[in-house]
Amino acid sequence: MLMRFAYLAVSQAFAALRLLPMGDREKDVEILALRHQLSVLHRQLGDERPRFRAEDRAFLAALLSGLPRQTLRQLRLLVSPDTVLRWHRDLLRGRHARASARRCPGRPRTVVSVRRLVLRLARENPSWGYRRIHGELAVLGIWVAPSTVWELLKAEGIDPAPQRSSVTWADFLRSQAEAILAMDFIETVTLTGERQYVLAVIHHASRRIRIVGTTAHPTHAWVTQAVRNLLMDLEDAGQLATVRFLIRDRDAKYPALMDQILQGSGIATVLTGVQVPRMNAVMERWVRTLRAELLDRTLIWNEAHLRRVLRIYERHYNQHRPHRTLVGAAPLRALPGRLEPRQVEHLDIRRRDRLGGVLHEYRHAA
């Protein structure tokens, strides 16, 4: 726009030089001719308003602003005198705004890495307000104003700390996974039509599954003894000291004595809501896996056969089956080291079938 305005001003300056040798009569004739041409243009345009570019407005404002308003009203212009004066005010306002911007550049933008750190601290610590985050940044040697932290959180739509500090059920499960067991009954039917009940427990952090027992009659005495066996197994594995919660539903098969036994070992029973299976989602997801990979693909003859296949599947699940939550590792088996490209070219992978081919396990040849 500035270059176009300069070109327009220079060209009009040369046009003014052309007027110097002209007499008053020639100038009056040219003025009358130009006024008549404007009348023709007004007649052709009608109600349509002429379009002026930015440099046209600037040039006319600079040229005509010095004339009195009464003189402007007598001139035959395509726009009203008030419009010309408004253009002049806008021109001066823009110049002052640019001068102010040069004098007051404002605060520099916050470094991107600091912005990311502020958002990370707010996300990982829901109870921290902007002043607490500001203090943590100061401990790290990062100096920003508290108002800057507040503005960053507001710009990202992050609520103030009192509205973020409430802990959801999912957050509780993730933060306490090492201390949580989940329990549930699974029902299945043998070929003879007998209903069997499988009691299983899963550890949230390691995803290790334990088949506590199977029975056709889950009496309170049987469940109580199964829980005692579970506690002994946890003590032998060195996990009893770390477990603090056991999640289960409100099934009537669980006796009140069971909760007392668990409480004596420092384990609190957490009951799920009525018809809210998502509160025990980890266990419910394992039940679905058990049905899809074993029970729906196997003909169960009797209780003894059920115990055998469950024992094999428990070993397969804990020692071989990869788990997405564990990034491909199994609950009781860590991932091996990554193979080199030359080793991948000469792989010899053997398949081992379990339960008559229902389960497949792949290993390197010895």
Side-chain angles (χ1 to χ4, degrees), residues 338-349 364:
R338 187 173 181 177
L339 298 177
E340 299 293 334
R342 57 181 179 81
Q343 296 175 307
V344 177
E345 295 178 357
H346 306 285
L347 288 178
D348 186 6
I349 304 298
H364 292 278

Side-chain angles (χ1 to χ4, degrees), residues 2 52 67 109 129 134-136 163 197 255 264 267 281 304 315 334-335:
L2 184 60
F52 291 88
L67 297 178
R109 287 178 59 85
H134 171 260
E136 192 69 20
Q163 301 178 26
Y197 297 89
I267 301 176
R315 189 182 306 117
L335 286 176

Side-chain angles (χ1 to χ4, degrees), residues 130-145:
Y130 73 96
R131 289 195 175 275
R132 177 64 178 85
I133 295 175
H134 171 260
E136 192 69 20
L137 293 176
V139 172
L140 297 173
I142 302 172
W143 293 95
V144 295

Side-chain angles (χ1 to χ4, degrees), residues 178-211:
E178 193 66 39
I180 294 178
L181 295 176
M183 176 180 287
D184 199 7
F185 274 102
I186 303 102
E187 297 183 15
T188 187
V189 179
T190 65
L191 288 177
T192 59
E194 184 181 27
R195 188 173 299 275
Q196 292 287 327
Y197 297 89
V198 180
L199 183 60
V201 174
I202 191 170
H203 183 226
H204 272 213
S206 66
R207 291 303 198 266
R208 178 180 178 178
I209 195 70
R210 287 179 170 88
I211 306 296

